[in-house]
Amino acid sequence: MTHSEWDKLSKVHRLNLINSCTGYKSANLIGTKSETGVANVAVFSSVTHLGSNPALLGFILRPNVVARNTYENLKATGYFTVNHIHQNIIAQAHQTSASYNAAESEFEMVKLTEEYLSEIDVPFVGESPVKLLCQYLNEYEIKENNTIHIIASVVEIYFRDDILHEDYWLQLDQADIVAVNGLDGYCLPKIVDRFDYARPHTKTKSILKNGT
Amino acid sequence: MTHSEWDKLSKVHRLNLINSCTGYKSANLIGTKSETGVANVAVFSSVTHLGSNPALLGFILRPNVVARNTYENLKATGYFTVNHIHQNIIAQAHQTSASYNAAESEFEMVKLTEEYLSEIDVPFVGESPVKLLCQYLNEYEIKENNTIHIIASVVEIYFRDDILHEDYWLQLDQADIVAVNGLDGYCLPKIVDRFDYARPHTKTKSILKNGT
C-alpha cells in the first residue's frame, strides 16, 4: 500500500493504519500538577528510552490537542511522572485521553489513585507497578509536523520488588504491564526469550533464567 | 531508587535498569543498502510514530556505535526499511546488533532473507509480517546525550492481509510480532481490548470484535 492509496482513506481509517504500522508502543500515564494545584494525568504511547548515562527519555506532544495541560504543567513546574499501565486499569487509562477541562482532575474523573512518593509535588498513579519521576530538560520542535519532542532526565524509579532481576533488568510481564497497538488496542506481552550481548560470528545465547 | 543510587551500579546493571524502566519498546529491523551495494540490517527498539498526516516516524541513533552503517547508508541513499520482528526470528534479529564490519551483510551473517518489494533499491526482511519503506527527511541532534533523532516519512506499507481490520487497524498479535523489554528481552503481546474514542463524562466503550 502506498501513500497515494492511504491518502484516499477516511481520517479515522488513516489514523488506524498509520498508528498501527510502526509496531508496539509503550503505554504510560503521564502525571503533572498545575501551578494552581490541579492534578492531571494523560495516556501517552510515545515515551522512548534515549540513553542510560545520563538516564534520559523522550516523548512526543501535539501542542494543540488534549495533552496541552500536560505540557503547560510540566513547563511550569519542571517535573512530571511516567506511570506504566497495568492490565486492570486499561479502560481508565484510555479514558484520560478525553478532553476534560483544565479545572477537572483526570484522577477524579476516571478514578485512578493520586499518589505522592517524592519530595517533589507531582502526582504518581497508585495502580502503576513501575513509576518514574522525570525532570524536564529541553524540547525540540519537529518542524515536519509541528510536534514537540520533550527531553527529560529520569531522577527516581519506583517498582515492585518482585520484577527486579539480579542483573537489574525489570521483567515487565511479571507485573502485567501492557503495550499499545495503534491508537486504542491494549495488549499484554509475555516474555519469550532474553539474549546475551551479541558478538560477530558467535552463536546467539539465551540468558533467560526464570521468565514465566 | 534515585539517580544517585543507580550511578553506583555497574555499567551493565545500569543499562538493564534504565532500558527496562520506560516500558515496552517496538522491535524493528531497519534495512539499508550502502552506495557500494552491501545490504545492511540492524535491530532497533526506538522507532516511534510521530504523526499520521503526513505519515511520519522517528528513531534514535547513537552515531558512534554499531548503527553507524545504518546511518551512513540511509543518508547516502535517502531510504530505509522498517521490518517488524516475528517471534520466529528473534535470535537472528538480536544477532544483527553484533558489530559486523561494513563489508559484511548482516542478512547473510544471521540468515535473514533479503527481499526487494519496491522500485527503490533497498532491502526488506522477507520473514517480517509488516514492512515499511521510509524516506529520510531530517534529523535533530539531541544535545543532552549526543544522539540523533531521525525523522522519516512512510511511503509504502506491506502487511499480511489477514491482520487488516475493516477500520484499517493492523492487529499485530495476529502475525506474532514481538515487542522488546529492556535491551534484550523479546516479548509476545496478545490483545486484551480496544476502546472507542474517549469523550469526557462518557463511559469507556470496548470496540474489540475478533481479538483472539
Side-chain angles (χ1 to χ4, degrees):
Chain A
M1 197 170 188
T2 66
H3 63 93
S4 61
E5 291 173 284
W6 67 71
D7 281 347
K8 292 172 196 152
L9 297 178
S10 73
K11 186 185 169 195
V12 170
H13 286 183
R14 181 194 177 100
L15 279 170
N16 284 334
L17 177 69
I18 305 300
N19 270 278
S20 55
C21 79
T22 47
Y24 287 104
K25 305 190 271 194
S26 53
N28 287 302
L29 289 161
I30 293 188
T32 54
K33 188 165 260 193
S34 74
E35 286 186 296
T36 57
V38 180
N40 178 285
V41 63
V43 65
F44 282 81
S45 60
S46 60
V47 172
T48 306
H49 168 84
L50 294 180
S52 293
N53 194 6
L56 297 181
L57 60 77
F59 69 96
I60 305 295
L61 270 171
R62 287 165 185 71
N64 309 318
V65 294
V66 173
R68 186 180 67 242
N69 295 340
T70 299
Y71 183 59
E72 287 167 0
N73 292 351
L74 73 87
K75 291 278 285 196
T77 66
Y79 287 92
F80 62 93
T81 67
V82 170
N83 305 269
H84 290 216
I85 299 175
H86 185 279
Q87 70 161 331
N88 289 349
I89 58 165
I90 58 175
Q92 290 113 297
H94 188 75
Q95 186 62 30
T96 64
S97 63
S99 57
Y100 295 101
N101 69 53
E104 291 174 312
S105 164
E106 290 84 1
F107 282 102
E108 287 175 39
M109 294 297 132
V110 309
K111 308 223 186 310
L112 285 170
T113 307
E114 192 179 329
E115 184 182 48
Y116 291 86
L117 298 171
S118 164
E119 288 184 6
I120 308 292
D121 182 30
V122 61
F124 291 87
V125 176
E127 290 81 358
S128 292
V130 178
K131 315 175 228 239
L132 317 178
L133 174 67
C134 298
Q135 186 170 17
Y136 170 87
L137 288 184
N138 201 356
E139 64 189 53
Y140 295 90
E141 190 198 339
I142 299 175
K143 295 185 182 69
E144 287 67 30
N145 68 346
N146 299 312
T147 53
I148 294 172
H149 189 202
I150 301 285
I151 313 296
S153 76
V154 182
V155 289
E156 293 174 12
I157 308 178
Y158 300 88
F159 49 84
R160 262 177 38 189
D161 290 345
D162 61 315
I163 71 168
L164 178 69
H165 280 234
E166 282 180 13
D167 65 358
Y168 281 80
W169 180 64
L170 301 178
Q171 185 173 344
L172 304 178
D173 70 347
Q174 296 275 37
D176 294 325
I177 289 163
V178 300
V180 184
N181 174 180
L183 279 170
D184 48 28
Y186 294 83
C187 302
L188 190 65
K190 289 292 162 193
I191 189 76
V192 179
D193 212 341
R194 276 186 85 192
F195 297 110
D196 204 358
Y197 183 81
R199 293 172 176 82
H201 313 291
T202 306
K203 192 169 163 28
T204 321
K205 189 180 150 210
S206 171
I207 56 168
L208 193 69
K209 285 170 187 169
N210 50 347
T212 50
Chain B
M1 197 171 187
T2 66
H3 64 93
S4 60
E5 292 173 283
W6 66 71
D7 282 347
K8 292 174 196 150
L9 296 178
S10 72
K11 186 184 168 195
V12 170
H13 286 182
R14 183 194 176 101
L15 280 169
N16 284 333
L17 176 69
I18 305 301
N19 269 279
S20 56
C21 79
T22 47
Y24 287 104
K25 304 191 270 194
S26 54
N28 286 302
L29 288 161
I30 293 189
T32 55
K33 188 166 258 191
S34 74
E35 284 185 297
T36 58
V38 180
N40 178 286
V41 62
V43 64
F44 281 82
S45 60
S46 60
V47 171
T48 306
H49 168 85
L50 293 179
S52 293
N53 194 7
L56 297 181
L57 59 78
F59 70 97
I60 305 297
L61 270 171
R62 285 164 187 72
N64 307 320
V65 294
V66 173
R68 185 181 65 244
N69 295 340
T70 299
Y71 182 59
E72 286 167 2
N73 292 351
L74 72 87
K75 291 278 286 199
T77 67
Y79 287 93
F80 62 93
T81 67
V82 170
N83 306 270
H84 290 215
I85 300 175
H86 185 278
Q87 70 162 331
N88 290 350
I89 58 165
I90 57 174
Q92 290 113 298
H94 188 73
Q95 187 61 30
T96 64
S97 64
S99 56
Y100 294 101
N101 69 52
E104 291 174 311
S105 164
E106 290 84 0
F107 281 102
E108 288 175 39
M109 294 295 132
V110 310
K111 307 223 187 311
L112 285 169
T113 306
E114 193 178 329
E115 184 182 49
Y116 292 86
L117 297 171
S118 164
E119 287 184 9
I120 307 292
D121 182 30
V122 62
F124 291 86
V125 176
E127 291 82 356
S128 293
V130 177
K131 316 174 228 241
L132 317 178
L133 174 67
C134 299
Q135 186 170 17
Y136 170 86
L137 289 183
N138 201 356
E139 64 189 53
Y140 296 89
E141 190 198 339
I142 299 175
K143 294 186 182 68
E144 287 67 29
N145 67 347
N146 299 311
T147 52
I148 294 172
H149 190 201
I150 301 286
I151 312 296
S153 76
V154 183
V155 289
E156 293 174 12
I157 309 179
Y158 300 88
F159 50 83
R160 264 178 36 189
D161 289 348
D162 62 316
I163 70 168
L164 179 70
H165 280 235
E166 282 179 15
D167 65 358
Y168 281 80
W169 180 63
L170 301 178
Q171 186 172 341
L172 304 179
D173 70 347
Q174 297 274 36
D176 294 324
I177 288 163
V178 299
V180 184
N181 174 181
L183 281 170
D184 48 28
Y186 294 83
C187 302
L188 190 65
K190 289 292 161 192
I191 189 75
V192 179
D193 211 342
R194 278 187 84 192
F195 298 109
D196 204 359
Y197 184 81
R199 292 172 176 81
H201 313 291
T202 307
K203 193 169 162 23
T204 320
K205 187 181 151 208
S206 171
I207 56 168
L208 193 68
K209 285 170 186 167
N210 51 345
T212 51

